[in-house]
Amino acid sequence: MPRHPPHRQQSSPLGPRLRSRSYPRYRLQPNHPTDDPHGIAASTLDGLLYGCGDAVIGINPATDSVAAVETLLRLLDELIHRYEIPTQSCILAHVTTALQCMARGAPVDLVFQSVAGTETANKSFGISLALLGEARVAALALKRGTVGDNCMYFETGQGSCLSAGAHHGLDQQTCEARAYAVARAFKPLLVNTVVGFIGPEYLYDGKQIIRAGLEDHFCGKLLGLPMGVDVCYTNHAEADQDDMDTLLTLLGVAGCNFIMGIPGADDIMLGYQSTSFHDSHYLRQVLGLKPAPEFEAWLEKMRIATDGRRLMPVDARHALLANSTG
């Protein structure tokens, strides 16, 4: 359910654009190891100045504390309203934490949850289909969106059923495709595989991560999902950033709907390597792609980028920086 400030009503929903090959999106991921609001705000402004965030500004919290998650929700909500950013926010806490935050009146745009392809694996995550349905109903009742009813965000990844001992003898690609069926039932705005995050106990090296990333993207698209990929690996896998650049390029050619933008491609909270803010400009310039039209217009208005691809010079007088104190 795309949510924008009330005075930024859209004439067309973001959902179809998320499925478009012409507009690869970027999740701005400003994680912090202690959920420090100042550190998160600094990383968020950095990402916006690189033109990232048109899919979502999404934070993996270091804790599932309801109070801490609510603080981050209100931080992003205030930031989005202050600068009239045509995007939405999400704190990637457990769905039960999101339910408690919504009960407290917190501004929840998207409800997040990791999902898997077997009932046993989902039970190990502490979820059921009924619980996801309850969360979706609660999110819709907030009426945060201006268009559509897509208020869920799911993450998946080959190997989760294997790690949980919940694969029942099925191969991991079949389990992963089943996870996409779970996600589709709840009309999500965003779905992505975190394909290299589990580590070498499932995907040993860069070639295997590349293969699995392409498989996951393909299967998600077959099921009609707005499918993104966290192009990532852990430091104990036999992979490096060259492998990620290869996978990023292949996914761009394949029409992947969104990827991650992380400061320096190094997530200092989760401790893994992904794609950076500036990778968005590599992909857009090489493949002739642009941000979402509403976001591109905002980048132009804020004097961040021209033509959706070329960054403009920024100094301390820029609106995002000059007005960022307090």
Side-chain angles (χ1 to χ4, degrees), residues 126-139:
I127 63 168
S128 65
L129 301 186
L131 179 61
L132 295 177
E134 178 186 349
R136 183 172 186 272
V137 169

Side-chain angles (χ1 to χ4, degrees), residues 16-25 217 221 250-257 287-290:
R17 299 250 177 86
L18 278 164
R19 292 174 172 84
S20 170
R21 294 175 59 92
S22 302
Y23 308 115
R25 303 292 183 271
H217 177 252
K221 285 295 187 65
L250 291 169
L251 288 168
V253 172
C256 184
N257 294 125
L287 299 180
L289 305 172
K290 289 190 174 187

Side-chain angles (χ1 to χ4, degrees), residues 141-313:
L142 296 179
K143 301 185 184 301
R144 298 279 298 168
T146 57
V147 289
D149 59 355
N150 311 102
C151 60
M152 304 296 283
Y153 176 11
F154 295 117
E155 281 193 341
T156 68
Q158 285 190 45
S160 58
C161 291
L162 178 67
S163 296
H167 54 86
H168 305 293
L170 293 174
D171 69 273
Q172 293 308 292
Q173 186 56 55
T174 298
C175 289
E176 181 70 359
R178 288 170 56 90
Y180 302 148
V182 171
R184 185 173 66 173
F186 298 96
K187 300 180 67 174
L189 181 71
L190 302 168
V191 179
N192 69 262
T193 172
V194 193
V195 68
F197 185 73
I198 292 178
E201 59 267 35
Y202 175 60
L203 297 172
Y204 174 72
D205 59 16
K207 285 188 176 181
Q208 292 187 14
I209 292 172
I210 291 169
R211 183 212 75 224
L214 294 174
E215 286 174 348
D216 288 359
H217 177 252
F218 175 74
C219 288
K221 285 295 187 65
L222 281 180
L223 283 167
L225 294 174
M227 192 67 195
V229 178
D230 190 345
V231 179
C232 64
Y233 68 102
T234 54
N235 286 321
H236 60 307
E238 291 295 322
D240 58 29
Q241 209 63 39
D242 288 340
D243 298 314
M244 299 305 101
D245 289 345
T246 298
L247 179 54
L248 172 66
T249 304
L250 291 169
L251 288 168
V253 172
C256 184
N257 294 125
F258 71 99
I259 61 168
M260 312 300 153
I262 296 169
D266 182 11
D267 192 303
I268 59 174
M269 194 283 281
L270 293 173
Y272 78 118
Q273 314 302 308
S274 185
T275 43
S276 67
F277 295 148
H278 58 267
D279 283 330
S280 65
H281 293 279
Y282 154 70
L283 205 62
R284 286 167 179 162
Q285 291 177 27
V286 167
L287 299 180
L289 305 172
K290 289 190 174 187
E294 298 83 2
F295 200 78
E296 180 184 357
W298 181 81
L299 293 175
E300 293 265 3
K301 184 188 81 168
M302 296 296 291
R303 300 190 59 80
I304 293 171
T306 59
D307 194 35
R309 302 188 184 102
R310 299 290 178 181
L311 291 175
M312 301 174 70

Side-chain angles (χ1 to χ4, degrees), residues 24-88:
R25 303 292 183 271
Y26 291 85
R27 168 186 157 191
L28 201 170
Q29 185 171 313
N31 294 346
H32 192 278
T34 64
D35 288 340
D36 177 64
H38 292 94
I40 287 171
S43 292
T44 302
L45 293 175
D46 187 24
L48 290 170
L49 289 169
Y50 271 104
C52 295
D54 50 347
V56 65
I57 303 174
I59 301 169
N60 297 89
T63 172
D64 248 357
S65 159
V66 174
V69 169
E70 184 175 358
T71 295
L72 297 181
L73 284 165
R74 296 193 183 281
L75 169 70
L76 293 185
D77 187 60
E78 195 279 332
L79 182 74
I80 288 171
H81 274 85
R82 176 187 293 190
Y83 297 110
E84 302 180 2
I85 309 170
T87 191
Q88 42 278 320

